């Protein structure tokens, strides 16, 4: 290893959920849908929803604290906090609130927005700072409260999303456990999935008006996003494996963004990976956007399924459109 460069290890995980649960049956009292439709088309049975007194910062802080404790570190050991989110409490950023809440007094903190790819892009970003020797200990959090931005009258989207947060601690080490990664964007397909700002004119004085708007609710062309996911996700995973000199059968666990069970099944089939190596928890959580991969990873670590040395392929995909994959080896 060249002096000043370090490898990256993944040494702890954590996650946090809000208490309130909205089941498919409860949803069917709100819009024309059914548990049968939602579960067969998506695999989702319920989702957690943040209530009035719960914030993104609080949830992200709980996940980060759990990850730091699992890594046997103290908040003061943390150099950098990256909060991947599309639903900040504050448009100026929420990562600094997380930093204060967990008492990571030495850390610099910032938000990163890449929708459901945010966690993958976050760990790749963190790895750059660690590999160059700039930082030793980094917390990457994926947290989203998409329920804030769902149109609860729109059955084509409101059945999909839920709230949550997950985190990992990455640390400098001699041998690099980030075995490969790929990141992509295609802004020409931005309209397929968006949570767009809607400006309204606010007249200030004669001839001068400012914009004073708000964000709309989530709009999605589900079929286009589905087609995009089932073609791009296997492709990006295959490329990542190829560059790492590995094959699909070398993967112990595949953790995809938890958008739809049918997407997970299609990707596993294309990679010829048995279903028992594909981690799925969307039945309990729905699509929690940037949080979905780190929540699934943390649940799989805490149930003892992930052992040190296991190779885990992760892939995020979603709004932007963005997509990416990373191949990592768990533990020190
Ligand atoms: N309940 C009952 N019926 C419904 C519902 C519902 N909740 N939603 C739609 N329908 C109806 C439609 O109106 C349509 O009826 P019609 O045939 O009479 O017109 C029928 O069901 C089929 O609708 P489709 O949209 O074709 O259903 P599809 O099988 O494509 O499933 C779904 C929709 C689940 C959204 C799917 O397209 C999907 O998962 N897409 C990918 C979404 C995704 O992965 N997003 C990830 C990124 S998220 C992020 O980045 C924030």
């Amino acid at each position: 290893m060249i002096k000043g460069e370090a490898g990256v290890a993944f040494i702890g995980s954590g996650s946090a959920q809000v208490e309130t649960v909205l089941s498919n049956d409860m949803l069917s009292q709100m819009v024309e849908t059914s548990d049968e439709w939602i579960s067969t088309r998506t695999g989702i049975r319920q989702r957690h929803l943040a209530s009035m007194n719960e914030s993104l910062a609080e949830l992200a802080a709980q996940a980060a604290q759990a990850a730091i404790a699992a890594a046997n570190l103290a908040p003061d050991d943390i150099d950098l906090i990256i909060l991947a989110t599309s639903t900040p409490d504050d448009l100026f950023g929420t990562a600094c609130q997380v930093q204060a809440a967990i008492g990571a007094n030495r850390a610099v903190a910032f938000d990163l927005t890449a929708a459901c790819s945010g966690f993958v892009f976050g760990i790749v970003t963190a790895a750059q700072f660690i590999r160059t020797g700039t930082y030793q200990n980094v917390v990457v959090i994926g947290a989203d409260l998409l329920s804030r931005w769902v149109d609860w009258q729109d059955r084509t989207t409101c059945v999909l999303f839920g709230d949550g947060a997950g985190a990992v601690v990455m640390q400098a080490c001699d041998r690099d456990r980030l075995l490969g990664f790929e990141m992509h964007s295609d802004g020409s397909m931005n309209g397929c999935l968006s949570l767009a700002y809607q400006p309204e004119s606010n007249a200030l004085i004669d001839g001068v008006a400012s914009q004073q708007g708000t964000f709309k609710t989530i709009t999605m062309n589900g079929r286009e996003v589905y087609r995009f996911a089932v073609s791009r996700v296997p492709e990006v995973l295959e490329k990542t494996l190829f560059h790492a000199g590995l094959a699909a059968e070398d993967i112990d666990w595949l953790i995809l963004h938890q958008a739809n069970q049918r997407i997970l099944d299609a990707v596993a089939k294309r990679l010829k990976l048995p279903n028992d190596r594909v981690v799925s928890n969307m039945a309990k959580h729905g699509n929690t956007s940037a949080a979905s991969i780190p929540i699934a990873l943390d649940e799989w670590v805490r149930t003892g399924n992930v052992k040190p040395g296991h190779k885990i392929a992760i892939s995020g995909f979603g709004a932007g459109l963005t997509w990416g994959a990373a191949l990592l080896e768990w533990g020190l």
Side-chain angles (χ1 to χ4, degrees):
M1 188 129 317
I2 302 164
K3 193 172 182 311
E5 285 195 356
V8 177
F10 297 84
I11 61 165
S13 67
S15 60
Q17 266 86 51
V18 288
E19 264 182 37
T20 306
V21 166
L22 188 71
S23 67
N24 289 350
D25 284 334
M26 291 154 94
L27 258 176
S28 67
Q29 295 167 34
M30 297 161 45
V31 287
E32 187 68 35
T33 191
S34 64
D35 176 50
E36 205 266 331
W37 193 95
I38 302 169
S39 56
T40 51
R41 300 273 180 144
T42 70
I44 298 166
R45 307 304 296 253
Q46 61 169 45
R47 67 286 295 139
H48 294 256
L49 299 188
S51 55
M52 275 302 287
N53 57 357
E54 287 163 321
S55 68
L56 183 93
E58 194 185 351
L59 205 60
Q62 281 171 26
Q65 274 166 331
I68 293 168
N72 288 317
L73 294 177
D76 264 345
D77 296 322
I78 305 304
D79 303 300
L80 168 66
I81 297 168
I82 298 176
L83 172 62
T85 188
S86 306
T87 53
D89 292 334
D90 182 331
L91 276 185
F92 287 141
T94 300
C96 298
Q97 291 180 43
V98 176
Q99 178 220 1
I102 67 175
N105 301 314
R106 291 191 320 103
V108 60
F110 60 83
D111 289 23
L112 180 155
T113 303
C116 305
S117 308
F119 180 74
V120 174
F121 286 17
I123 66 163
V124 173
T125 304
Q128 310 312 307
F129 286 107
I130 296 174
R131 284 175 169 175
T132 52
T134 310
Y135 296 128
Q136 288 284 307
N137 295 310
V138 181
V139 178
V140 180
I141 310 161
D144 267 310
L145 304 183
L146 278 184
S147 67
R148 287 174 171 175
W149 299 105
V150 163
D151 175 354
W152 289 102
Q153 308 299 316
D154 175 8
R155 69 175 183 173
T156 66
T157 52
C158 76
V159 301
L160 302 174
F161 300 108
D163 300 336
V168 292
V169 176
M170 295 166 61
Q171 186 172 62
C173 71
D174 288 342
R175 189 166 65 79
D176 206 345
R177 272 85 162 179
L178 179 60
L179 309 175
F181 68 84
E182 287 267 332
M183 301 195 292
H184 296 276
S185 307
D186 182 358
S188 72
M189 289 180 75
N190 186 260
C192 288
L193 180 51
S194 66
L195 206 183
Y197 179 72
Q198 189 166 36
E200 277 170 33
S201 181
N202 177 34
L204 300 177
I205 54 169
D206 256 3
V208 181
S210 71
Q211 287 186 17
Q212 205 89 55
T214 184
F215 287 88
K216 293 195 284 186
T217 49
I218 296 168
T219 59
M220 181 173 73
N221 181 334
R223 284 184 192 182
E224 276 300 316
V225 175
Y226 185 90
R227 264 197 289 273
F228 146 77
V230 296
S231 69
R232 294 303 198 183
V233 174
E235 183 182 87
V236 81
L237 283 162
E238 279 167 350
K239 277 190 187 161
T240 308
L241 284 163
F242 178 78
H243 291 309
L246 294 168
E249 59 260 32
D250 297 319
I251 301 172
D252 294 290
W253 304 112
L254 176 65
I255 306 184
L256 301 184
H257 167 47
Q258 305 284 302
N260 186 321
Q261 186 62 43
R262 290 189 298 159
I263 296 176
L264 268 60
D265 295 343
V267 173
K269 195 170 168 201
R270 164 96 175 260
L271 294 178
K272 299 192 178 69
L273 208 62
N275 284 338
D276 59 5
R277 289 205 221 158
V278 183
V279 179
S280 172
N281 68 356
M282 75 192 72
K284 286 189 292 178
H285 302 290
N287 175 347
T288 57
S289 194
S292 86
I293 294 173
I295 292 174
L297 173 63
D298 183 51
E299 288 183 355
W300 225 233
V301 168
R302 282 175 196 269
T303 49
N305 289 298
V306 175
K307 307 266 190 275
H310 273 183
K311 291 186 181 62
I312 305 170
I314 62 175
S315 178
F317 52 92
L321 297 180
T322 55
W323 66 105
L327 189 57
L328 53 102
E329 196 180 298
W330 188 251
L332 263 177

